[in-house]
Amino acid sequence: MHYTREQIDDMKARCDLVDLASWCGYTPVKKGHTYSLQEHDSVRIFNHQTFMQYSSSVGGDAIVFLQHFMNCTWQEAVEKLSEFSRINIDRQQSHIYNMREIKKERAPFVLPEKAENYRRLYAYLLKTRKIDKSVVDYCVKNHLIYESAEHHNIVFLSRDKDGIVHHAFMRGTNDAYPYKGDVEGNDKKYGFNIPVSGKKLRVFEAAIDALSEWSITKDSSVSRLALGMLSDAPLETFLKEHPDVKEIDLCLDGDEPGREAAKRISEKYIEKGYKVAIKHPVFPEGKEGKDFNDLCRMLAEKPRQAARRYSGR
């Protein structure tokens, strides 16, 4: 069955992700202001609308949830969501997305204190992740990232067009004990972004991938946005705040979820009139990887080795 974009958006807006998880056979567990799953304790469901599984770095809306946890295609996920909506239509009416209620449920958004120096931040990004120092310097100078005092995590700040922080994602600096997590009280409609004037935007899954691509290309003429998941909610917000953007490069991961998300998001924004290109990372011959940081580290190890930076559509 064919569904219009408006019908799909309406089904997602009416979908309570906690109820959907139960319908799929999982056991939601209350965790403060979020929900987890008894079967997957790295999952967090935010505001009954979006999820993140930190162990796999997969997150997004109801359709992404169905694709990931029910192992189905995008079209199959839409059909399952339609079935769920029909069965639960009466219950759905009481769970329509209501920003006023969500704000009541959301915990206070308090950023971690800053460390006295950023030694671990620089060591991790430069030595482990092979990010160019000029890129890290820019982000520090412009208050886009900092090192937390207590746990020495890197805090990636998501600001709106006026510079107000609405979301913050933390990444541990010790790969022996990897940590990823959001600061409690986040508004996940905002993503980590590096805006510049111009009509072009490059979109990534993770902030480190955005910094990696910038390190590779040395291109400071385009804006960059990291979704932090596979939902396009932060992209919608960014485009509303930056109406000059007319071209979007979707630089998502090259794995199956990233490719499916790129195709889905591409179709949506082409319909909206944007010029959209899908540009997954392409690795040197004989090498395999998933994202732009994998490529950045490979090129740092063999800086003279020629490699195409992007694949075509």
Side-chain angles (χ1 to χ4, degrees):
M1 180 175 177
H2 174 73
Y3 297 90
T4 66
R5 174 59 58 185
E6 289 73 19
Q7 287 173 319
I8 294 172
D9 287 344
D10 183 64
M11 286 191 293
K12 290 193 295 185
R14 291 174 180 271
C15 178
D16 185 315
L17 202 49
V18 177
D19 289 345
L20 178 64
S22 295
W23 184 72
C24 291
Y26 293 98
T27 310
V29 179
K30 183 77 170 176
K31 296 280 188 179
H33 294 274
T34 67
Y35 282 84
S36 182
L37 299 180
Q38 183 174 303
E39 298 81 1
H40 299 281
D41 61 5
S42 71
V43 170
R44 290 296 180 271
I45 298 174
F46 305 95
N47 302 327
H48 296 263
Q49 289 280 304
T50 60
F51 81 99
M52 185 70 192
Q53 185 178 36
Y54 292 104
S55 62
S56 64
S57 297
V58 173
D61 56 23
I63 290 178
V64 178
F65 182 92
L66 289 166
Q67 287 179 279
H68 184 61
F69 288 103
M70 302 302 286
N71 193 29
C72 58
T73 66
W74 184 85
Q75 184 61 45
E76 291 169 340
V78 172
E79 295 289 349
K80 287 182 183 293
L81 182 59
S82 176
E83 179 184 357
F84 174 74
S85 298
R86 289 195 301 271
I87 292 172
N88 294 275
I89 189 65
D90 292 334
R91 293 179 63 195
Q92 300 310 306
Q93 295 297 327
S94 64
H95 291 297
I96 293 176
Y97 198 80
N98 185 300
M99 288 306 299
R100 194 173 307 164
E101 291 180 4
I102 288 171
K103 286 180 180 178
K104 288 180 181 178
E105 291 183 5
R106 187 178 295 140
F109 180 53
V110 180
L111 292 171
E113 291 186 11
K114 295 181 180 180
E116 292 184 3
N117 61 70
Y118 295 172
R119 282 199 296 267
R120 296 193 190 183
L121 177 152
Y122 271 93
Y124 180 77
L125 292 180
L126 271 59
K127 296 180 180 179
T128 303
R129 293 294 182 167
K130 306 300 182 183
I131 307 297
D132 190 275
K133 185 176 183 297
S134 65
V135 171
V136 180
D137 286 341
Y138 178 92
C139 292
V140 170
K141 180 180 178 180
N142 288 276
H143 309 291
L144 299 174
I145 63 175
Y146 70 89
E147 182 179 324
S148 67
E150 183 176 2
H151 299 294
H152 299 282
N153 296 318
I154 302 174
V155 183
F156 296 88
L157 301 174
S158 301
R159 298 180 180 274
D160 65 17
K161 62 182 179 61
D162 297 318
I164 299 172
V165 180
H166 294 269
H167 178 282
F169 176 80
M170 295 181 291
R171 181 68 167 84
T173 52
N174 185 348
D175 271 352
Y177 303 94
Y179 172 75
K180 296 179 181 179
D182 290 339
V183 174
E184 196 172 11
N186 274 304
D187 185 345
K188 294 184 77 64
K189 296 195 307 299
Y190 291 84
F192 174 80
N193 63 89
I194 308 171
V196 300
S197 60
K199 65 179 183 179
K200 194 160 191 175
L201 170 68
R202 290 180 184 152
V203 181
F204 304 83
E205 289 184 35
I208 286 179
D209 289 327
L211 304 187
S212 298
E213 185 272 342
W214 190 5
S215 298
I216 294 168
T217 64
K218 305 295 190 294
D219 185 357
S220 301
S221 67
V222 299
S223 296
R224 291 174 172 83
L225 169 69
L227 302 174
M229 52 186 175
L230 290 177
S231 168
D232 67 322
L235 177 56
E236 287 188 350
T237 300
F238 188 90
L239 293 175
K240 288 177 183 177
E241 294 192 342
H242 299 84
D244 291 341
V245 173
K246 305 299 180 185
E247 300 179 21
I248 303 170
D249 287 347
L250 295 174
C251 305
L252 305 185
D253 292 357
D255 56 9
E256 184 176 354
R259 291 181 180 275
E260 289 186 357
K263 183 176 183 297
R264 167 175 50 83
I265 295 171
S266 173
E267 291 172 351
K268 176 177 178 177
Y269 287 91
I270 288 173
E271 288 181 8
K272 290 177 176 286
Y274 291 93
K275 181 180 178 180
V276 183
I278 296 174
K279 297 186 175 180
H280 299 296
V282 175
F283 300 93
E285 186 176 354
K287 297 285 187 178
E288 293 184 359
K290 178 174 73 76
D291 55 36
F292 276 93
N293 186 245
D294 287 344
L295 178 59
C296 185
R297 286 183 285 132
M298 288 177 193
L299 296 179
E301 292 170 1
K302 295 184 178 181
R304 295 185 181 180
Q305 184 173 358
R308 288 179 299 142
R309 293 191 181 117
Y310 302 120
S311 66
R313 221 176 135 66

